Amino acid sequence: MNIGKKYVDAYITKSDPKARPILRQLRRAIKTSAPQAVEGIRYGMPYYSYFGRLTYFAAFRNHVSLFVMGRAKITYAQEIKPYQTSLATLQFALGTKIPVSLIKKLIVARVKENDAAKKK
């Protein structure tokens, strides 16, 4: 059982109601793309690990951020460009549609990257 689930549930519930739909979409995209990932809270935000860090996300006043780790952000540089605010941060304004298929691709790439690192 993933005990981190209740903490992520609480994080989403306590977040701004306008952020909750995006948070739920991010969570669903991550969990379907990396069902073996462990869910929890790190640095006060939802965190997913699978043989190391996969991703984090967090709600802010006017947006939700997804923190993309590893080479996935390089592989999909052109696709993430409209959302990228720093080397590892994608921002989605509250009330906007998020690129779920892109997020899934990023997470799958991270899983593969962590799998390869584990085998070394």
Side-chain angles (χ1 to χ4, degrees), residues 28-48:
R28 194 168 30 257
I30 294 164
K31 290 174 74 169
T32 58
S33 301
Q36 64 279 60
V38 175
E39 185 175 47
I41 298 286
R42 294 263 170 92
Y43 307 112
M45 62 185 123
Y47 165 78
Y48 295 83

Side-chain angles (χ1 to χ4, degrees), residues 39-101:
E39 185 175 47
I41 298 286
R42 294 263 170 92
Y43 307 112
M45 62 185 123
Y47 165 78
Y48 295 83
S49 66
Y50 173 75
F51 297 111
R53 295 182 300 170
L54 277 180
T55 193
Y56 297 80
F57 61 78
F60 296 92
R61 177 180 276 185
N62 297 312
H63 68 277
V64 170
S65 287
L66 175 70
F67 302 94
V68 182
M69 310 299 163
R71 297 193 54 79
K73 62 185 174 269
I74 297 164
T75 303
Y76 296 102
Q78 285 305 110
E79 290 179 67
I80 67 174
K81 195 173 188 175
Y83 312 101
Q84 194 166 21
T85 60
S86 74
L87 185 60
T89 307
L90 307 183
Q91 284 187 2
F92 309 106
L94 298 184
T96 61
K97 185 175 177 183
I98 66 168
V100 175
S101 62

